[in-house]
Amino acid sequence: MVDRLANSEANARRIGMVESCFGAAGQPLTIPGRVLIGEGVLTKLCRKKPKARQFFLFNDILVYGNIVIQKKRYNKQHIIPLENVTIDSIEDDGDLRNGWLIKTPTKSFAVYAATATEKSEWMNHINKCVSDLLSKSGKVPSNEHAAVWVPDSEANICMRCQKVKFTPVSRRHHCRKCGFVVCGPCSEKRFLLPSQSSKPVRVCSFCFDLLSTGQLSATLPNRSEFYRGSLQSPRNLSDEDDDDDSSD
């Protein structure tokens, strides 16, 4: 089905419309063999609060951006290669329902659909696209992914020292390795995480010690437990327990 659509005029027209909605600031999306599978609005769990984002699923990439004018204009385009994507379902928790994690080596985050049916359709289509890509390339699924950041609202005190209370002066920071919300003194260290940046990035003292001694690998399991409302205390984390951009 996808192969038949790849060279169709309807597919080219749909992709062209997506390009025009992002305008000159967006990257060109039309390449041979690319097919637009579907699109829709999902709620993305950002650092400050959940926000509506427009998502476009292609057979090889996932694209999303901020909604300026629905179906007419979007900005801050993000492009995620699907061959690096793994997804995990999130159990419903209060108002956050029908969600799943989108995980890649460079960035991982949670999204929520309006209905359970919509969630199922999104996850099935994403998994099918990833499976088809890996089958064609002969590559194996990625087992490395960036940590999902804990939203600022979920932490009133540092999740490491459990002492520093966050205020306008004592700001929140995020460890790029575990995703915890930590205070300045607990996140003074930097460590090179090649999949996320070519420069050393902020990590908490706990992760830094484990990374420096080789006790913590580059691969962290997902953070589904947090989104079920049962995140373990940082003091009880094993070295195998599990970014959103700052504008989110």
Side-chain angles (χ1 to χ4, degrees):
M1 179 66 173
V2 170
D3 291 336
R4 290 203 305 271
L5 289 172
N7 298 314
S8 73
E9 290 185 11
N11 178 63
R13 189 163 52 249
R14 292 177 69 201
I15 295 178
M17 289 179 64
V18 176
E19 287 182 331
S20 65
C21 285
F22 279 104
Q27 295 185 36
L29 299 173
T30 302
I31 64 170
R34 177 168 289 165
V35 175
L36 178 57
I37 305 296
E39 62 181 272
V41 176
L42 298 173
T43 298
K44 181 173 177 286
L45 193 60
C46 301
R47 177 177 177 176
K48 299 295 184 183
K49 61 181 180 180
K51 298 178 182 178
R53 295 286 185 258
Q54 183 74 26
F55 280 77
F56 300 91
L57 176 64
F58 296 82
N59 59 330
D60 62 334
I61 58 174
L62 182 66
V63 177
Y64 71 93
N66 294 6
I67 301 170
V68 180
I69 303 174
Q70 183 62 45
K71 296 188 178 297
K72 291 187 177 180
R73 188 180 174 201
Y74 311 110
N75 63 16
K76 295 187 178 179
Q77 183 190 71
H78 297 263
I79 300 177
I80 302 173
L82 282 180
E83 66 178 11
N84 297 325
V85 168
T86 56
I87 59 176
D88 283 328
S89 180
I90 303 170
E91 291 185 6
D92 293 344
D93 180 24
D95 292 335
L96 295 176
R97 306 177 66 82
N98 310 313
W100 67 97
L101 298 178
I102 296 175
K103 303 183 299 181
T104 79
T106 57
K107 183 178 185 134
S108 301
F109 53 90
V111 293
Y112 296 85
T115 66
T117 299
E118 187 179 340
K119 169 186 174 178
S120 177
E121 291 177 347
W122 270 101
M123 293 189 70
N124 288 339
H125 284 306
I126 292 173
N127 277 327
K128 179 65 165 56
C129 289
V130 173
S131 176
D132 288 347
L133 276 175
L134 295 177
S135 177
K136 289 180 179 179
S137 67
K139 296 180 180 179
V140 297
S142 174
N143 63 354
E144 179 182 356
H145 60 84
V148 179
W149 282 16
V150 175
D152 286 3
S153 60
E154 297 296 326
N156 293 320
I157 63 172
C158 175
M159 298 177 71
R160 284 304 180 198
C161 68
Q162 301 280 299
K163 295 177 182 178
V164 175
K165 185 175 182 180
F166 296 121
T167 67
V169 176
S170 299
R171 295 178 55 237
R172 293 171 172 83
H173 301 280
H174 279 84
C175 171
R176 270 58 172 179
K177 187 59 179 174
C178 68
F180 276 15
V181 184
V182 291
C183 64
C186 284
S187 59
E188 294 177 338
K189 303 290 188 180
R190 300 290 188 276
F191 199 89
L192 181 62
L193 302 177
S195 63
Q196 296 190 38
S197 175
S198 60
K199 299 179 180 180
V201 293
R202 182 188 297 271
V203 295
C204 66
S205 53
F206 179 83
C207 287
F208 180 83
D209 291 343
L210 294 178
L211 287 164
S212 299
T213 57
Q215 297 180 62
L216 185 61
S217 70
T219 303
L220 292 176
N222 70 60
R223 227 194 182 127
S224 299
E225 288 300 318
F226 167 73
Y227 293 99
R228 286 198 289 266
S230 58
L231 179 63
Q232 291 175 295
S233 164
R235 295 196 175 107
N236 295 328
L237 280 174
S238 72
D239 60 0
E240 294 182 351
D241 286 5
D242 186 57
D243 147 58
D244 216 330
D245 50 42
S246 57
S247 64
D248 279 347

